[in-house]
Amino acid sequence: MGRADELALVGAALDDGRPGVVLAGPGGVGKTRLAVEGLRRAEQAGWQTRRLTATRSAAGVPLAVFAPLLDGADTSGQPLGRVREAVRGEGHRRGVLLVDDAHLVDPASAGLLLQLAADGGTALLVTIRTG
């Protein structure tokens, strides 16, 4: 509620083919709610969507945030391809990946997020806590 302007900016960024959007702010201001609404609208527009949440307890485990997408796969090979496939799905040219609390991801996950953004086939919708 009351975030129509911000939601329009998120939608425009995704529609314009940008690598993604970072929603930053202190805890409790509604970053996750705004990101989820943006993801919902992307899905309604026909985009393949996925949602992940980083946690403090998994911050030291390489690629832990991507575990739901990697589905037990060997991550010593090419996790980028597996994640890209999981986000885009079959028949979709582009996907949207929401990573909530991305300030908690491990370095390997941060690197993979950078690769996804540079690849151009996956738009990132990322929330980070400031302060």
Side-chain angles (χ1 to χ4, degrees), residues 103-120:
H103 56 283
L104 298 175
V105 301
D106 63 278
S109 293
L112 185 52
L113 286 171
L114 178 61
Q115 289 178 342
L116 286 169
D119 176 60

Side-chain angles (χ1 to χ4, degrees), residues 26-40:
V29 298
K31 298 177 301 293
T32 298
R33 177 72 184 101
L34 180 60
V36 168
E37 183 61 23
L39 194 68
R40 186 184 69 78

Side-chain angles (χ1 to χ4, degrees), residues 3 21-36 52-54 56 65 97-106 110 113 124-131:
R3 306 293 290 273
V21 177
V22 176
L23 302 172
V29 298
K31 298 177 301 293
T32 298
R33 177 72 184 101
L34 180 60
V36 168
L52 303 173
T53 301
R56 188 173 316 284
V65 73
L97 176 63
L98 166 57
V99 181
D100 197 18
D101 291 332
H103 56 283
L104 298 175
V105 301
D106 63 278
L113 286 171
L124 301 177
L125 189 50
V126 176
T127 69
I128 58 171
R129 183 176 290 188
T130 58

Side-chain angles (χ1 to χ4, degrees), residues 2 11 15 18 31 33 44 53 59 68-69 87 90 96 99 109 111 118 121:
D15 289 342
R18 295 182 196 158
K31 298 177 301 293
R33 177 72 184 101
Q44 287 177 339
T53 301
L69 301 182
V87 173
E90 289 188 35
V96 180
V99 181
S109 293

Side-chain angles (χ1 to χ4, degrees), residues 55-98:
T55 62
R56 188 173 316 284
S57 61
V61 179
L63 302 175
V65 73
F66 292 104
L69 301 182
L70 294 172
D71 195 26
D74 177 12
T75 58
S76 63
Q78 292 291 344
L80 176 61
R82 296 272 314 202
V83 169
R84 187 184 308 134
E85 180 181 303
V87 173
R88 291 185 195 165
E90 289 188 35
H92 292 86
R93 293 177 295 148
R94 197 161 189 239
V96 180
L97 176 63
L98 166 57

